[in-house]
Amino acid sequence: MEQYIIKGGNPLVGEVDIAGAKNAALAILAASIMADETITIDNLPDVRDINVLLEAIEGIGAIVNRVDRSTVKINGSTIQNISVDYEYIKKIRASYYLLGALLGKYRHAEVPLPGGCNIGSRPIDQHLKGFRALGADVDILHGAIIAKSESLHGAHIYLDVVSVGATINIMMAAALSPGRTILENAAKEPHVVDVANFLNSMGANIKGAGTDVIRIKGVEKLHKTEYSIIPDQIEAGTFMFAAAATGGDVTVRNVIPKHLEATTAKLIEIGCEVEEFDDAVRVRASKKLGRTNVKTLPYPGYPTDMQPQITVALSIAKGTSIVTESIFENRFKYAGELARMGAHIRVEGNSAIIDGVDRLTGARVCAPDLRAGAALVIAGLAAEGITIVDDIVYIQRGYEDFEGKLRSLGAEIEKVSSEKEIRKFRLRVG
Ligand code: UD1
């Protein structure tokens, strides 16, 4: 089992390049199978979730050719199997995007019910409601969702909750459903827009992505394209908070500053200086951080995927802060781990109340999920002494070469998998 070992205390300084957005890439890869021609996708992040989804896509018979670390070619003309294997879906929840993609293209899809990050119950009723409205019969049989239709058609669909996954999944199926679909109360996240742009580059007719109402005119088929994925706003935000928590000075490059506005606003509120360039953002933390309150919300609100990272920064800020989670019900599981590092944090319902302390101290902690895992690494970088983070497999799901990028900013962090390697690190850092 791999772990991170960290000697905290170094301010992070320098420049770091951000990879393509994992959550956009997952949907775009699934959507790639909807054409019978070769799709080329660039700026792909080299992370575990992406590699598993590519295996799932190969598993249904598509041709997947990884040209290099960040480029892949996919050809869906050879698909023979509309049933996705449980092995993949249990590893990544987002393989449910193959439901919308296969249903749209073949009018039939069989995908096991998803697992994924353990951050509370994550229903997919809105996805299924959308497919049904488009004319599909949807059943759950033996743990799998089976969606079938003789003839799909456009529909007027109102989502009961703002869901990124449902918006994208319905958009994919509707792209190949004859007639007009109007999707109301749609999610507005940058990756929803990216998927719509991608589908449009394949010949789809989707308008309004990025607003509450998405209008889709079904087309007969989709064709080849070459597409570059947008930068990962959550990876970028994670490095921005790592700079803040360590009193550092970091420029995150290859980003779209507009997508980072909620994060940037909070960093400024807690006393950081943030400078925006065309495709980069510089974060400087030259004084003790200040307190704030924050509530997670759908885009353009403060992202739930940035909630653990801000909590870590607030745990060493001056004063009392309240962080409220309004998207997922069980997203403070890391609070106990952070408390083991000396944070004064108590969770009441869906809020965490954090009394800032002077310093955190290194401890052995366990990553409970992807973003909380990254946040515990930030805590380790800011803490005095040595921190060991267990279960980093979660972190590897979504961060490309996390330790390498942090090291390039001056962090003392190693990936280790034995007591011997841990001893070696301790000896080296003294
Ligand atoms: C996506 C992201 C995830 C992020 C989340 C919110 C991917 C692969 N994952 O997850 O990193 O944290 O958006 O920005 O892109 N809901 C329902 N019924 C549904 C669908 C969702 O009740 O059918 C609820 C969920 O339980 C949750 C809320 O809607 O409370 C938002 O979930 P959603 O936006 O769908 O999240 P995901 O797409 O799963």
Side-chain angles (χ1 to χ4, degrees):
M1 280 276 238
E2 289 182 323
Q3 303 156 311
Y4 281 138
I5 184 162
I6 303 157
K7 163 116 187 287
N10 292 1
L12 297 191
V13 177
E15 298 183 343
V16 64
D17 286 323
I18 299 307
K22 171 188 78 93
N23 287 347
L26 288 168
I28 285 173
L29 291 177
S32 299
I33 63 133
M34 294 173 73
D36 279 335
E37 297 176 342
T38 300
I39 306 288
T40 306
I41 298 161
D42 199 10
N43 204 30
L44 201 64
D46 188 9
V47 297
R48 196 160 291 192
D49 273 10
I50 295 297
N51 298 327
V52 174
L53 182 61
L54 285 174
E55 280 173 34
I57 289 172
E58 243 177 342
I60 55 171
I63 298 168
V64 174
N65 174 11
R66 190 79 179 245
V67 181
D68 59 38
R69 194 176 188 194
S70 60
T71 313
V72 69
K73 286 182 188 289
I74 294 178
N75 188 311
S77 64
T78 50
I79 291 175
Q80 319 232 312
N81 184 359
I82 43 69
S83 168
V84 179
D85 201 286
Y86 179 63
E87 273 314 296
Y88 305 117
I89 198 94
K90 77 172 187 212
K91 288 190 196 149
I92 44 159
R93 195 181 154 71
S95 29
Y96 62 33
Y97 284 137
L98 289 169
L99 258 178
L102 288 167
L103 177 66
K105 187 176 180 196
Y106 299 108
R107 306 314 199 225
H108 186 178
E110 297 188 7
V111 176
L113 278 164
C117 253
N118 191 10
I119 52 179
S121 88
R122 295 174 79 174
I124 58 163
D125 55 301
Q126 298 302 307
H127 303 231
L128 307 190
K129 167 177 159 172
F131 297 148
R132 287 191 178 111
L134 294 174
D137 289 323
V138 183
D139 277 317
I140 296 179
L141 282 178
H142 309 295
I145 301 157
I146 301 177
K148 262 192 207 173
S149 170
E150 294 294 307
S151 61
L152 294 173
H153 51 76
H156 196 147
I157 304 165
Y158 190 96
L159 293 181
D160 300 318
V161 290
V162 179
S163 159
V164 172
T167 301
I168 292 177
N169 231 342
I170 296 167
M171 203 164 71
M172 290 198 287
L176 288 175
S177 302
R180 285 172 196 276
T181 293
I182 300 175
L183 183 56
E184 302 220 40
N185 200 24
K188 296 180 277 199
E189 268 69 2
H191 42 294
V192 172
V193 180
D194 208 34
V195 179
N197 288 342
F198 170 71
L199 286 165
N200 284 342
S201 78
M202 291 168 86
N205 186 339
I206 302 172
K207 295 200 169 93
T211 74
D212 292 335
V213 187
I214 300 180
R215 291 166 203 278
I216 303 155
K217 213 168 137 196
V219 297
E220 221 168 275
K221 61 178 188 173
L222 299 173
H223 55 67
K224 67 182 173 187
T225 186
E226 292 183 9
Y227 196 80
S228 185
I229 289 165
I230 52 164
D232 197 310
Q233 51 154 338
I234 306 300
E235 186 196 10
T238 301
F239 280 98
M240 290 162 79
F241 271 105
T246 60
D249 179 353
V250 172
T251 301
V252 293
R253 296 190 305 208
N254 181 33
V255 297
I256 299 171
K258 172 91 192 132
H259 295 169
L260 298 167
E261 273 173 356
T263 299
T264 298
K266 281 294 156 193
L267 284 164
I268 293 172
E269 251 179 71
I270 62 174
C272 296
E273 290 158 60
V274 183
E275 207 177 337
E276 285 183 6
F277 304 93
D278 283 349
D279 61 355
V281 173
R282 179 179 180 185
V283 178
R284 265 178 294 184
S286 48
K287 53 178 197 256
K288 174 92 178 157
L289 300 177
R291 60 155 304 282
T292 190
N293 295 338
V294 60
K295 181 174 179 183
T296 62
L297 288 169
Y299 189 85
Y302 187 87
T304 173
D305 285 355
M306 288 298 304
Q307 181 258 95
Q309 299 90 320
I310 193 169
T311 302
V312 166
L314 295 175
S315 74
I316 46 172
K318 197 162 181 275
T320 300
S321 305
I322 301 177
V323 175
T324 303
E325 173 57 55
S326 81
I327 310 286
F328 292 111
E329 64 197 26
N330 194 9
R331 220 175 176 171
F332 285 118
K333 280 203 299 190
Y334 64 92
E337 302 297 288
L338 200 54
R340 299 185 61 246
M341 298 180 72
H344 288 181
I345 175 168
R346 65 175 199 283
V347 178
E348 286 180 10
N350 63 347
S351 292
I353 298 133
I354 306 140
D355 290 319
V357 292
D358 277 346
R359 64 188 171 111
L360 298 174
T361 50
R364 188 157 184 160
V365 292
C366 202
D369 61 67
L370 165 59
R371 304 304 171 186
L376 289 171
V377 170
I378 299 179
L381 295 169
E384 213 177 88
I386 303 256
T387 294
I388 295 176
V389 182
D390 284 324
D391 282 351
I392 63 167
V393 60
Y394 284 113
I395 302 172
Q396 292 164 337
R397 289 180 54 178
Y399 290 89
E400 181 179 291
D401 190 19
F402 197 36
E403 67 282 7
K405 290 186 183 183
L406 288 168
R407 265 200 305 272
S408 77
L409 298 171
E412 301 227 57
I413 175 168
E414 293 267 338
K415 192 161 65 188
V416 292
S417 48
S418 68
E419 285 303 318
K420 194 172 152 202
E421 284 176 308
I422 292 179
R423 274 198 303 277
K424 236 169 91 184
F425 180 87
R426 285 185 191 274
L427 275 176
R428 186 170 65 70
V429 299

